[in-house]
Amino acid sequence: QVQVVESGGGLVQAGGSLRLSCAASGSIFSNNVMGWYRQAPGKQRELVAGIGSGGRTNYADSVKGRFTISRDNAKNTVYLQMNSLKPEDTAVYYCNYKSGWYENWGQGTQVTVSS
């Protein structure tokens, strides 16, 4: 009952930046966690960054210091600022919404980092 839509992916050179956005709509509970995951071809989906309603964050070791997750609760929108991008960051990035037992995923947005 929560729709999640990502945007902002694209092609960027190594060292460049992108900002992803994730807009959630529907029956949003105030206490929730939203996160960004990514999946490269032939690999498992992995957590990139997560953020709780109160602003607590966590990051994958591979992106610490380069990526920043933030949220605007009034807009039910989460952002992922990606700096110093590396070719290994290339993947489809998915936004996830979770509240208790319920979770839903966005359709994904492609991020390609050229070397």
Side-chain angles (χ1 to χ4, degrees), residues 18-74:
L18 284 173
R19 188 193 191 211
L20 306 183
S21 298
C22 171
S25 61
S27 300
I28 306 297
F29 285 82
S30 58
N31 187 8
N32 63 73
V33 176
M34 297 185 71
W36 287 97
Y37 293 71
R38 67 187 181 188
Q39 187 166 25
K43 296 190 178 294
Q44 298 276 23
R45 187 172 299 185
E46 64 175 349
L47 175 68
V48 177
I51 185 167
S53 300
R56 293 192 300 112
T57 60
N58 65 285
Y59 297 90
D61 289 342
S62 60
V63 307
K64 286 181 179 177
R66 299 188 297 120
F67 292 9
T68 302
I69 189 170
S70 61
R71 65 186 295 164
D72 184 337
N73 289 333

Side-chain angles (χ1 to χ4, degrees), residues 2 5 15 33 37 39 45 47 54 60-63 77-79 83 85 87 91 101-102 105 110 114:
V2 176
V5 180
V33 176
Y37 293 71
Q39 187 166 25
R45 187 172 299 185
L47 175 68
D61 289 342
S62 60
V63 307
T77 300
V78 173
Y79 307 94
N83 298 325
L85 283 162
W101 61 269
Y102 179 87
W105 297 85
Q110 177 71 47
S114 62

